[in-house]
Amino acid sequence: EAGVAQSPRYKIIEKRQSVAFWCNPISGHATLYWYQQILGQGPKLLIQFQNNGVVDDSQLPKDRFSAERLKGVDSTLKIQPAKLEDSAVYLCASSPGYGQPQHFGDGTRLSIL
Amino acid sequence: KQEVTQIPAALSVPEGENLVLNCSFTDSAIYNLQWFRQDPGKGLTSLLLIQSSQREQTSGRLNASLDKSSGRSTLYIAASQPGDSATYLCAAPVSGGYNKLIFGAGTRLAVHP
C-alpha cells in the first residue's frame, strides 16, 4: 500500500511571498488532514476534509491560508502572504474514516527568511 | 477543551532498559487514543491505537495502556534498543470532533549502546 505522498520536501521563501504544498492521500481514504508542526511541539490541525468537503477549519488562519481538495483525492495548501511565524513542517495525513488511525506523509519543511 | 501533556520531555537511557512514557489528557470522554513515533525529518508513524473499550494494546515490544477515569495513558517499551531512538507522541481526540486529534509535545527518547 502506497503511503501519503507530499511535495515538495523543503521550501525556502522570503516573507510576504506565496507558497503551495501538495498532498496525495492513501487510495480510498475519505478523510484528509493538514497539520502544522512548529519545532519542539506536537502537530496542530489546520484543516480537515471529508471527501471534498471541509469538516473543521477552526484553526486555519483564513486571512493568509487556503486549502482545497479537488474531486475528494489530492489536496493543496497555500499560504499567501507568508509570515516569519509560518516557518514549520506542514504534515498531511489521511484516514479511512471515523475512529480509524491517521497515516502521515513525511511533510514539507518551510523556512521563511 | 482537550489538552494533552507528555512527561518526560526527554529521556536518555542505556540499551536494554524497560521504559515508561506518560501521557495525560483533560477530557476523558474519548473514544480512542493513539501513540505515534516520529524520526528526525520524517512524518509520524502510528504505533498503537487503543479503543476506549480496551485497557491496553500490544505490538511487539510496545504496550500501551489507557485509563480514561484518571485521564492517563502509558507507553511501555521493553528491552530498549538504539533503533528505538525517536520522538514519541500521543494524541487524543476532541469530543464532538470528527476524528480531530490533539497532540502532546512528545517525549524525545535516546537509547545509547
Side-chain angles (χ1 to χ4, degrees):
Chain A
E1 176 182 79
V4 176
Q6 289 189 248
S7 67
R9 289 283 285 123
Y10 306 94
K11 191 73 177 180
I12 301 173
I13 62 173
E14 295 185 348
K15 60 183 179 183
R16 291 188 289 274
Q17 287 188 325
S18 63
V19 64
F21 314 126
W22 173 82
C23 173
N24 180 239
I26 293 173
S27 178
H29 282 196
T31 312
L32 185 146
Y33 313 79
W34 282 103
Y35 290 88
Q36 179 192 60
Q37 186 176 24
I38 293 172
L39 187 64
Q41 300 181 16
K44 181 185 80 172
L45 180 70
L46 292 175
I47 189 167
Q48 177 181 347
F49 293 93
Q50 178 69 15
N51 295 310
N52 60 352
V54 175
V55 175
D56 188 323
D57 62 358
S58 58
Q59 297 189 91
L60 186 74
K62 299 181 185 62
D63 58 334
R64 298 183 301 106
F65 286 65
S66 64
E68 60 181 4
R69 189 181 185 195
L70 299 176
K71 300 181 181 179
V73 182
D74 292 6
S75 178
T76 56
L77 176 70
K78 296 179 182 178
I79 308 175
Q80 182 180 12
K83 292 185 175 181
L84 292 175
E85 61 260 35
D86 298 333
S87 292
V89 176
Y90 291 84
L91 296 163
C92 179
S94 68
S95 71
Y98 186 83
Q100 297 299 308
Q102 295 185 23
H103 301 264
F104 284 76
D106 284 340
T108 296
R109 183 175 299 276
L110 176 65
S111 297
I112 312 293
L113 303 179
Chain B
K1 180 184 175 184
Q2 182 70 276
E3 294 180 4
V4 178
T5 305
Q6 292 188 246
I7 295 173
L11 190 60
S12 180
V13 299
E15 183 176 6
E17 280 205 3
N18 300 323
L19 309 171
V20 175
L21 308 183
N22 297 294
C23 171
S24 61
F25 47 92
T26 55
D27 183 356
S28 60
I30 60 173
Y31 49 87
N32 62 32
L33 185 135
Q34 199 165 354
W35 282 92
F36 294 87
R37 168 183 172 142
Q38 187 172 31
D39 293 286
K42 297 289 188 179
L44 281 67
T45 300
S46 180
L47 296 174
L48 292 164
L49 183 146
I50 315 173
Q51 301 292 349
S52 60
S53 58
Q54 302 172 310
R55 289 191 61 83
E56 61 181 57
Q57 189 73 261
T58 298
S59 176
R61 294 182 293 106
L62 304 180
N63 176 276
S65 66
L66 175 63
D67 184 344
K68 288 179 56 178
S69 62
S70 66
R72 293 181 182 177
S73 177
T74 59
L75 179 66
Y76 177 82
I77 303 176
S80 58
Q81 303 171 358
D84 295 330
S85 298
T87 297
Y88 292 82
L89 300 110
C90 71
V94 173
S95 295
Y98 190 89
N99 226 23
K100 177 179 180 177
L101 295 179
I102 302 298
F103 283 82
T107 294
R108 192 170 63 255
L109 174 65
V111 181
H112 47 89

